Amino acid sequence: MAKSSHAPSVAWAALRGLVVLNALFGAAILGLLVATLVAEQWTFAALGIAPSSSMRPMMNGLRLVAALGLAAGSA
């Protein structure tokens, strides 16, 4: 006699929850990416990055990593 299992319904609910969390974190990353473009000095000061000319490549790298993460998450 086969027993009824609730594992598929639990897995389905967990997966839906993770999809929602993924969308929320993606929106947060997109918000930070836009903030670095709109209010650059304020955003990087809030992240603890001191403004200097040597930090410019790092700032662009952080933006690139965020953009790549968003592109990979939407694929």
Side-chain angles (χ1 to χ4, degrees):
M1 190 179 260
K3 289 186 175 182
S4 176
S5 175
H6 294 292
S9 61
V10 171
W12 184 257
L15 186 60
R16 280 189 294 180
L18 289 173
V19 167
V20 169
L21 280 176
N22 189 39
L24 290 174
F25 281 113
I29 291 171
L30 178 63
L32 283 173
L33 179 61
V34 170
T36 64
L37 296 171
V38 174
E40 178 179 326
Q41 297 301 322
W42 181 87
T43 305
F44 285 115
L47 293 173
I49 301 171
S52 68
S53 60
S54 65
M55 291 295 187
R56 184 56 111 186
M58 187 181 75
M59 292 176 188
N60 291 334
L62 288 171
R63 289 181 183 130
L64 179 64
V65 168
L68 287 174
L70 289 171
S74 65

